[in-house]
Amino acid sequence: EDLGPVHDRLLATRRAKVEATQGGTRRGLRVLFTGPSGRNKLLAAQLFAHELAADLFEIDLSRIVSKYVADTERNLDQLFDAARASDAVLLFDDTDHLFACNGEDSGRFPNFDVNQLRQRIESYGGVVLLGADDRAHLDPRLARQCDEVVEL
């Protein structure tokens, strides 16, 4: 599959956001990649991060989320602090499990406050990429929070 048009579209959106925030508050770029497994979501994220000359942090939420809420908050603080320090591109894959349309997290992360993660993603000044296999199962608010939704 040719990722050139996707790549060009994302770069254009990023440039427009940078130009719109010159001298003002920096607002990040949020992109939702959707499509069945094996549709190059990771490759698209890697190419985009490479074009921006930025590190790509592939986030494994099972390593962030703890059964203890305070530990989860600390892990999120460390993640977003490190990302801000290096202006990294963040990739959260399998978000259809996390941001389910019924508002529940499908049981994978029972002690995790999804709204806390939403707020951190919204306030991050860099690029956040979200991958989902099945958009139909996603909370529609997630797509509205994104600057771009790309079907792969």
Side-chain angles (χ1 to χ4, degrees), residues 12-80:
T13 301
R14 179 70 173 157
R15 273 192 300 276
K17 289 184 76 69
V18 167
E19 290 168 7
T21 59
Q22 293 293 328
T25 303
R26 182 173 174 206
R27 185 171 177 268
L29 174 68
R30 284 161 300 284
V31 179
L32 174 61
F33 290 128
T34 64
S37 253
R39 295 301 295 182
N40 296 325
K41 293 183 285 281
L42 177 58
L43 178 60
Q46 290 169 334
L47 289 172
F48 190 52
H50 177 74
E51 185 66 28
L52 296 174
D55 291 329
L56 177 67
F57 288 8
E58 295 176 52
I59 312 305
D60 178 358
L61 282 175
S62 67
R63 301 187 77 193
I64 301 290
V65 177
S66 168
K67 65 181 179 178
Y68 303 107
V69 174
D71 289 346
T72 299
E73 290 175 9
R74 186 184 68 247
N75 293 341
L76 284 171
D77 287 342
Q78 290 173 348
L79 167 67
F80 280 92

Side-chain angles (χ1 to χ4, degrees), residues 13 20 23 35 40 43 45 47 50 54 61-62 67 97 99 102 112 117 126 133 135-136 141 146:
T13 301
N40 296 325
L43 178 60
L47 289 172
H50 177 74
L61 282 175
S62 67
K67 65 181 179 178
H97 297 290
F99 299 108
N102 62 4
F112 184 60
L117 179 59
D133 293 338
R135 187 173 174 188
R141 293 180 300 167
C146 292

Side-chain angles (χ1 to χ4, degrees), residues 83-94:
R84 272 187 213 82
S86 67
D87 202 23
V89 173
L90 301 178
L91 172 63
F92 293 89
D93 208 357
D94 294 324

Side-chain angles (χ1 to χ4, degrees), residues 109-138:
F109 306 110
N111 295 330
F112 184 60
D113 182 2
V114 174
N115 289 322
Q116 182 183 72
L117 179 59
R118 278 183 195 275
Q119 183 179 20
R120 288 173 188 254
I121 288 171
E122 183 69 29
S123 65
Y124 181 60
V127 176
V128 177
L129 307 174
L130 305 164
D133 293 338
D134 189 356
R135 187 173 174 188
H137 290 109
L138 283 176

